[in-house]
Amino acid sequence: MPAHTAPLQLSADAMRAIGERTLDIALRHFADNRDAPVARTLPRATTEPLLRTPLPEQATPINALLDQLERDVFSNALRTDHPRFYAFVPSPTNFVSVAADMLTSAHNLFLGHWMASSAASQVEITTLDWLKELLGYPEEAGGIFVSGGSMANLTAIAAAREIRLGGADRAAIVYCSDQTHSSVGKGLRVVGFHADQRRTVATDADLRLSIPALEAAVRKDRAAGLKPFCVVANAGTTNTGAVDPLGQLADFCARENLWLHVDGAYGAAAVITTRGKALLTGIERADSVTLDPHKWLFQPYELGCVLVRDGSVLRRAFRVEDHDHADYLTDVVRHVKQDVNFFEHGIQLTRSFKALKLWLSLRAFGLPEFRRGVEVGFEMAEHAERVLRADSRWEIVTPAQMGIVTFRLAGGDAARTDAITTRTVDLTREDGYALVMSTMLRGRPALRLCPMHPATTRAEIEETIARLGRFSELAASQAATRA
Ligand SMILES: Cc1ncc(COP(=O)(O)O)c(C=O)c1O
């Protein structure tokens, strides 16, 4: 590092040099991404000697560190922003948001209360208002940006319990389908629900929460003197993209006085498109919704969001009570009672300027560009389905919906097909052209494609499926040799 006097301070020239170097690395990532292997995972035995160093009592030239990061760290990972990353829920980004993240860190604004960040808090409020409007939520709705879907689900559950039950209640029951994301169960456990306070409701043939099964479960619990209080529905399950019958669920929850939370961590963003809006009809009637901009709104991690239909809910649930003695915040609360202090709307006190990247990219590109991006996801999953249907070796397990299609080899012995499916995933990952994973559907593995990158091409989808075919044949012949 260049010489300096006060600790940790750099000259403008030194900062510029670091900035230019890091910008080069970031630009190279964007330029080379498509041609780089989509997945590289090192064994711990390799990462330890590569990256284990003693506590740094000595300074190291930053260029050497940046070289190492580029060579050893960033390249040995799954590239969730790669145009051929079709596993889990991809996170393609955009450069405007990347630049925004740098500004967020550079300014390090404190978004916990209004006094510290009045204008930035206004940017967060404006961005939340856009999401509310897109969902079809009323003016009085509210929300808060959090780190991701898990935190958004947890925040919604905690708020629902506080508002409807006034705190922990051993008789309260929550209903989720068997396709619900694991973060919901984790959130329930973290806020103190016991396993016997959660009902896993069966799904129908399309893996959507079954209303008759839900009605029966609620009836049974009421008869047993328990307190049904919340239904968690899916707006795009991670497994297959299934959307639960949101309108019917809203009717049922209104009739039964149940809180309706919709987990649209990845899928709710599709409301920005005409077809997504139609698929998600009813979401606007949910009491709370999880929507992660770091999934289908093309934002870098960590940006999740929870929205509530009644904006007063968060403040009531996450108020800081007098007996909790936030004494050193007295002046803040005294001055700005009428303004939005986000620390009173969620779990965190210290928060970064989370909305900046979404605000900047939405304004810089305009919403139509995001719509086009989401449309690509729908179209690529549909194209994959068409290609698979044209090849008699494959059978579709669930058709393309909300950008996800699942499939496996057709016919044959189930146990043998399942083993081939699993081996095909391994061979595809080793190949490195595209990343495709399996998921368990009704107890059996199925291959799953979730192509969300706005720059994915039809040719890439076709080549990926061709390779899956070759790897399945290889896996089958390996299995035959072993038998
Ligand atoms: C439907 C759904 N809910 C919740 C989550 C959890 O979100 P996060 O990983 O951002 O915590 C995911 C993640 O993929 C998801 O797909």
Side-chain angles (χ1 to χ4, degrees):
M1 284 288 165
H4 52 263
T5 45
L8 303 176
Q9 308 307 300
L10 296 175
S11 69
D13 284 347
M15 288 192 278
R16 182 170 301 281
I18 295 170
E20 284 172 1
R21 196 72 206 284
T22 48
L23 179 62
D24 279 349
I25 294 174
L27 291 178
R28 240 187 332 270
H29 170 73
F30 275 83
D32 299 348
N33 201 21
R34 174 166 250 134
D35 296 324
V38 63
R40 238 199 236 142
T41 307
L42 299 180
R44 181 75 185 265
T46 309
T47 59
E48 278 286 339
L50 200 59
L51 292 158
R52 166 82 55 204
T53 48
L55 254 174
E57 290 294 348
Q58 306 287 327
T60 306
I62 183 140
N63 284 345
L65 297 171
L66 293 174
D67 283 347
Q68 184 181 28
L69 282 176
E70 192 175 17
R71 187 186 60 236
D72 298 337
V73 177
F74 294 128
S75 59
N76 289 309
L78 303 188
R79 291 179 178 241
T80 62
D81 59 350
H82 192 292
R84 295 188 301 278
F85 184 95
Y86 307 135
F88 319 122
V89 178
S91 290
T93 65
N94 71 88
F95 194 74
V96 170
S97 294
V98 170
D101 264 352
M102 192 192 137
L103 292 176
T104 298
S105 291
H107 292 273
N108 205 26
L109 296 189
F110 175 93
L111 265 281
H113 57 66
W114 190 264
M115 185 188 281
S117 55
S118 48
S121 289
Q122 181 61 54
V123 168
E124 295 231 326
I125 292 167
T126 301
T127 314
L128 287 166
D129 282 347
W130 293 339
L131 296 181
K132 280 160 44 180
E133 187 178 333
L134 287 165
L135 276 186
Y137 257 1
E139 180 105 15
E140 65 273 17
I144 187 165
F145 288 105
V146 293
S147 56
S150 303
M151 278 306 292
N153 283 335
L154 187 147
T155 303
I157 290 162
R161 187 180 67 173
E162 193 70 18
I163 298 301
R164 288 294 167 95
L165 306 169
D169 186 332
R170 193 66 184 87
I173 307 291
V174 179
Y175 303 81
C176 314
S177 93
D178 57 23
Q179 297 297 303
T180 300
H181 191 270
S182 58
S183 60
V184 172
K186 194 199 271 185
L188 287 169
R189 205 174 67 237
V190 168
V191 304
F193 284 92
H194 294 244
D196 62 4
Q197 291 181 268
R198 175 180 166 184
R199 300 284 174 268
T200 302
V201 180
T203 43
D204 61 18
D206 297 325
L207 297 165
R208 290 155 33 110
L209 190 145
S210 154
I211 300 273
L214 175 66
E215 283 170 348
V218 169
R219 211 177 309 120
K220 189 167 165 217
D221 286 330
R222 286 211 198 283
L226 297 169
K227 279 193 206 163
F229 106 98
C230 175
V231 175
V232 179
N234 298 295
T237 63
T238 322
N239 275 340
T240 67
V243 180
D244 290 336
L246 301 178
Q248 284 171 273
L249 283 169
D251 290 341
F252 176 75
C253 288
R255 249 188 348 262
E256 294 283 337
N257 195 26
L258 303 174
W259 183 280
L260 177 60
H261 173 63
V262 174
D263 179 3
Y266 104 81
V271 286
I272 70 174
T273 65
T274 309
R275 62 159 118 187
K277 184 96 184 158
L279 287 167
L280 295 166
T281 302
I283 197 167
E284 72 286 354
R285 296 171 62 199
D287 294 291
S288 51
V289 173
T290 288
L291 185 166
D292 283 351
H294 72 198
K295 294 187 169 74
W296 220 354
L297 283 180
F298 313 112
Q299 300 302 310
Y301 303 132
E302 296 181 0
L303 191 59
C305 181
V306 59
L307 295 146
V308 286
R309 200 161 196 290
D310 169 358
S312 72
V313 155
L314 294 178
R315 180 104 197 262
R316 284 189 280 149
F318 297 107
R319 69 198 176 275
V320 175
E321 301 195 316
D322 290 345
H323 60 256
D324 288 326
H325 298 296
D327 299 334
Y328 71 99
L329 294 174
T330 307
D331 294 330
V332 168
V333 181
R334 179 165 55 84
H335 279 296
V336 292
K337 269 201 165 44
Q338 75 286 6
D339 295 319
V340 176
N341 295 319
F342 279 114
F343 83 89
E344 297 174 308
H345 291 226
I347 294 164
Q348 289 177 260
L349 170 58
T350 299
R351 301 173 63 250
S352 64
F353 189 2
K354 292 192 134 343
L356 176 61
K357 53 192 166 190
L358 182 59
W359 179 87
L360 193 67
S361 53
L362 275 169
R363 291 212 55 187
F365 286 111
L367 190 55
E369 196 72 354
F370 282 77
R371 277 196 193 104
R372 289 203 313 130
V374 171
E375 268 300 331
V376 172
F378 275 107
E379 282 163 19
M380 289 301 131
E382 285 160 3
H383 186 60
E385 182 184 341
R386 273 193 302 276
V387 172
L388 290 160
R389 284 195 192 279
D391 182 341
S392 59
R393 284 179 302 172
W394 298 110
E395 72 180 17
I396 299 294
V397 179
T398 57
Q401 48 190 344
M402 302 282 281
I404 297 178
V405 60
T406 66
F407 54 101
R408 64 167 72 94
L409 283 182
D413 170 65
R416 182 171 170 277
T417 304
D418 293 352
I420 292 171
T421 300
T422 305
R423 181 74 187 126
T424 302
V425 169
D426 293 341
L427 290 170
T428 308
R429 189 159 63 91
E430 285 160 24
D431 173 59
Y433 175 77
L435 195 72
V436 179
M437 292 275 163
S438 65
T439 190
M440 295 301 286
L441 294 175
R442 304 258 186 254
R444 291 189 60 196
L447 295 168
R448 175 180 172 283
L449 275 188
C450 181
M452 279 189 180
H453 197 293
T456 297
T457 64
R458 286 170 184 237
E460 286 176 317
I461 294 289
E462 288 157 21
E463 177 62 21
T464 300
I465 293 171
R467 288 182 191 226
L468 286 170
R470 286 208 295 280
F471 294 135
S472 296
E473 279 164 18
L474 181 58
S477 71
Q478 287 173 344
T481 316
R482 270 198 303 276

